[in-house]
Amino acid sequence: MKIKNSLSLRLSIRFMIVVAVIVLLLSSGFVFSLRFSITNRMKNTLMDLTDLVCLNLTQRTPPEVLGLPYFLTYLVYNANTNQVLNTNDPFLPRLPLTGGKAKRYHHANYYADGDLTILYTCRQLEGINNENLIVQTSVDMDRDAAAEMVREIPKIALIFALPILLISFLISLFITKRTMKPVKEITESAQKMSSTNLETLLPISKRNDELDQLAQTFNSLFESLRKDFERERNFTSDVSHELKTPIAGILGQARLLKRWGKDDPKQIEESLDLIITEANSMSAIITNLLQISKLENGKEEIFYENCNITSLFDRLNKEFSPINPGLQIIYNPNIDINFKCDIELLHQVLTALISNSIKFYKNKYEKEDCIIELDSYLKNGQVFIIEKDNGPGFEADILPHIFERFYKGDKAHKRSQGSSGLGLAISSSIIKALGGKIQAQNRSDSNKKGAEFTIQLPS
């Protein structure tokens, strides 16, 4: 894996940037808070010392004998004459009155060797020896030890921040590499997979974390793809088999006619009938496969219109009863259910179900008294359509496969009575295209044998 494309490296760099921002913000906040605290303390000290100077002046005590701290400078002068009466710093400038507050004053290049930055307060005292006195006190902030310490903190923080960032980067890189190791293993396993090698599953660490859930999701997907590929391979094989049979019949009859049947009208007639039958069988298979493909790809046009379930049952009864002696289609003619649906597609599904019931009944029983029961009801905004028969029902090993393409319900899975095994597969695809579901089971009625299909459609 290239370093510049490493997810671990990107995560580590982002983590380092986040740590840098946090360190910067915390340092700035700390310096600001410390500076504010020191400045506030200096203001309080300055105000207290100023009160002391003023009090002793009113008591005629000279400031020089007050024992003031070394860092405090003061200036006492006459407000009328500007005559300096006392000071411990002759270079201190006269500044405006502060109104009882402490203010910051800065003058660049005031001294030959630097700037003047002081915190000062200036008051006017009246009535002392009939003079108006100005008392000005200040603290040199550039030379105060606490202020010096505050100014040094950012430099110290910067010096220590660099190794902190480097250490945090290395630690985060180590952690992310260990964390991303399962991803690397998953990637390597996925690179080894192909359409012919989907049995290999992605590794799972059994920690049941997000990566395990991702691997399990992909494993489920690969298992589904494997089944799809297997089903498509079987489908291709089944298509080849289904088309091979009619083609073999057509070729056989064509060779028969070419060799011996040219002068035999009866043989010509029989061979042509068989060729037409096999060609129709091939055409039906191809047509059905095209319809399944359109339905599954969403290309089949669906025309929604008002559908009355009783009218649909009447139509099915009229179509099947005349051509199936002994067939009984039983339904309640007073069912009043109307819903939006593609009538022709739904009719095709019910036709396939009824045809399937008749075929398997006749294959099992010699007597012709097949009974088809149709029913419908509404529940929770859904239309349910039931088709039942009195045939042999489904065997346990057949039931899970009846909606698969080319699956025929006999154990030999051979072509019989022109069946290609696509009717129920098409029915399932149609119902899904209509937004519904179809299920098959053996009849749930007590003491009754047969198959039961349930169609569920939105109303």
Side-chain angles (χ1 to χ4, degrees):
M1 181 181 294
K2 296 181 179 179
I3 295 296
K4 64 178 181 179
N5 294 329
S6 172
L7 179 59
S8 300
L9 181 62
R10 294 202 301 271
L11 290 175
S12 301
I13 292 175
R14 291 174 185 174
F15 178 76
M16 183 183 67
I17 292 173
V18 170
V19 171
V21 172
I22 292 174
V23 169
L24 179 62
L25 292 176
L26 290 177
S27 300
S28 301
F30 174 75
V31 171
F32 175 80
S33 300
L34 186 60
R35 187 187 298 275
F36 176 81
S37 176
I38 292 175
T39 302
N40 193 55
R41 179 179 61 81
M42 293 175 65
K43 286 181 179 180
N44 293 333
T45 302
L46 181 63
M47 298 302 292
D48 292 341
L49 293 175
T50 303
D51 290 340
L52 178 62
V53 173
C54 293
L55 176 63
N56 284 278
L57 282 176
T58 59
Q59 296 177 355
R60 302 174 183 268
T61 304
E64 62 269 16
V65 300
L66 296 177
L68 297 176
Y70 72 93
F71 55 81
L72 180 72
T73 58
Y74 65 89
L75 175 66
V76 181
Y77 63 94
N78 190 301
N80 297 323
T81 63
N82 285 331
Q83 180 184 0
V84 177
L85 302 178
N86 204 341
T87 182
N88 63 352
D89 186 353
F91 299 102
L92 197 65
R94 295 176 177 84
L95 300 174
L97 298 175
T98 60
K101 298 179 179 180
K103 292 186 178 180
R104 186 183 181 90
Y105 176 79
H106 176 77
H107 191 296
N109 301 317
Y110 183 79
Y111 298 108
D113 58 349
D115 301 337
L116 173 66
T117 304
I118 60 174
L119 185 69
Y120 84 99
T121 181
C122 192
R123 298 182 186 177
Q124 183 174 359
L125 301 179
E126 299 179 357
I128 301 178
N129 297 328
N130 296 322
E131 293 179 323
N132 290 329
L133 300 181
I134 301 296
V135 178
Q136 177 181 309
T137 57
S138 61
V139 176
D140 190 345
M141 299 189 70
D142 284 337
R143 299 179 182 178
D144 185 77
E148 289 289 337
M149 181 182 67
V150 171
R151 284 194 295 271
E152 289 298 320
I153 287 177
K155 298 179 183 177
I156 297 173
L158 180 61
I159 293 173
F160 280 94
L162 295 177
I164 289 175
L165 293 179
L166 179 60
I167 293 172
S168 66
F169 171 76
L170 295 176
I171 292 175
S172 64
L173 183 61
F174 174 75
I175 294 174
T176 51
K177 276 186 172 295
R178 286 181 60 87
T179 304
M180 298 303 294
K181 184 178 179 181
V183 177
K184 184 179 179 181
E185 294 175 352
I186 290 174
T187 303
E188 292 175 351
S189 298
Q191 289 173 343
K192 297 176 182 178
M193 291 185 177
S194 65
S195 60
T196 57
N197 181 28
L198 290 174
E199 290 80 8
T200 303
L201 299 179
L202 299 180
I204 298 176
S205 64
K206 298 182 180 180
R207 288 192 292 264
N208 199 29
D209 54 11
E210 291 82 355
L211 294 177
D212 275 355
Q213 294 175 8
L214 177 64
Q216 290 170 356
T217 301
F218 276 110
N219 285 341
S220 299
L221 174 62
F222 293 144
E223 180 64 20
S224 177
L225 289 174
R226 186 187 65 79
K227 291 180 180 178
D228 288 341
F229 279 124
E230 184 66 26
R231 185 163 52 249
E232 291 304 317
R233 282 194 288 265
N234 293 337
F235 171 71
T236 303
S237 176
D238 290 337
V239 170
S240 301
H241 175 74
E242 293 295 328
L243 293 179
K244 183 178 180 181
T245 302
I247 289 175
I250 292 173
L251 289 175
Q253 294 299 318
R255 293 191 184 100
L256 180 62
L257 289 175
K258 185 176 181 180
R259 291 183 180 181
W260 301 293
K262 296 178 181 179
D263 301 322
D264 187 348
K266 182 179 179 181
Q267 183 62 48
I268 292 175
E269 187 70 22
E270 291 178 356
S271 296
L272 289 176
D273 288 341
L274 184 56
I275 289 173
I276 292 172
T277 299
E278 297 295 347
N280 287 333
S281 177
M282 290 177 58
S283 177
I285 292 173
I286 295 171
T287 300
N288 289 336
L289 290 174
L290 288 175
Q291 185 177 19
I292 290 177
S293 177
K294 287 182 178 180
L295 289 167
E296 292 181 347
N297 294 322
K299 296 181 179 180
E300 179 80 9
E301 291 190 61
I302 299 177
F303 301 96
Y304 287 96
E305 54 186 317
N306 290 324
C307 177
N308 179 270
I309 200 67
T310 302
S311 299
L312 183 58
F313 288 170
D314 287 338
R315 176 181 172 183
L316 292 166
N317 187 31
K318 292 177 181 178
E319 290 173 348
F320 279 94
S321 295
I323 60 175
N324 293 277
L327 172 65
Q328 298 182 55
I329 298 181
I330 302 173
Y331 59 95
N332 183 355
N334 298 318
I335 299 176
D336 187 20
I337 295 178
N338 296 280
F339 61 101
K340 292 286 186 179
C341 186
D342 189 313
I343 297 177
E344 295 306 319
L345 288 178
L346 181 57
H347 173 267
Q348 181 179 347
V349 172
L350 291 172
T351 298
L353 297 183
I354 294 174
S355 299
N356 198 68
S357 295
I358 295 172
K359 180 185 70 174
F360 279 93
Y361 181 88
K362 290 182 176 180
N363 288 345
K364 183 70 176 180
Y365 308 110
E366 295 181 359
K367 52 186 179 180
E368 296 182 348
D369 54 355
C370 180
I371 299 175
I372 305 293
E373 298 179 33
L374 301 176
D375 194 11
S376 181
Y377 61 90
L378 288 170
K379 183 179 180 181
N380 298 327
Q382 300 285 310
V383 177
F384 290 83
I385 302 173
I386 314 297
E387 191 267 352
K388 302 178 183 179
D389 62 43
N390 62 338
F394 302 108
E395 295 184 12
D397 59 333
I398 292 177
L399 191 56
H401 305 285
I402 61 172
F403 292 113
E404 295 178 5
R405 289 171 285 191
F406 295 114
Y407 191 88
K408 306 172 189 66
D410 53 354
K411 292 185 177 180
H413 305 312
K414 296 178 180 179
R415 297 174 76 240
S416 60
Q417 299 181 353
S419 171
S420 63
L422 290 173
L424 294 181
I426 293 176
S427 299
S428 178
S429 297
I430 289 175
I431 296 301
K432 288 181 181 178
L434 294 175
K437 301 177 182 177
I438 184 170
Q439 295 177 332
Q441 62 181 21
N442 288 313
R443 289 187 65 155
S444 55
D445 316 50
S446 58
N447 301 322
K448 286 189 177 181
K449 191 175 182 181
E452 178 179 331
F453 289 89
T454 301
I455 300 172
Q456 179 182 345
L457 293 171
S459 60

